[in-house]
Amino acid sequence: MPLGKAAGVRCLQLDDRNRCKLFGRADRPAVCSSLQPQSPMCGRDAREAMLWLTSLEQSTAPG
Ligand code: SF4
């Protein structure tokens, strides 16, 4: 995404199974490659991961 990914916008690089199409490639954004997944952000399933992500986006939103 040339201008970056806005909060709440699905990344264009996600496939139908929510897997990164750039994983392992040199053109994957550095911020993505440097992220170290941890249990609190992943939760037990995708629903819990989205709850954590939504909470993080809301707590860091400008204004
Ligand atoms: S890891 Fe980065 S590039 Fe890959 S899907 Fe997630 S946000 Fe998009």
Side-chain angles (χ1 to χ4, degrees):
M1 302 177 80
L3 301 177
K5 188 191 86 53
V9 174
R10 180 179 169 83
C11 182
L12 294 176
Q13 302 303 336
L14 283 169
D15 68 13
D16 292 342
R17 298 174 62 204
N18 289 328
R19 295 177 186 266
C20 178
K21 292 184 278 189
L22 300 181
F23 191 85
R25 291 176 37 168
D27 55 343
R28 189 179 186 213
V31 67
C32 301
S33 298
S34 66
L35 179 69
Q36 295 298 307
Q38 297 179 1
S39 182
M41 74 172 67
C42 297
R44 289 173 292 187
D45 53 28
R47 185 189 66 83
E48 286 190 4
M50 284 306 296
L51 286 173
W52 181 88
L53 183 59
T54 300
S55 172
L56 183 62
E57 288 184 346
Q58 288 173 347
S59 66
T60 60

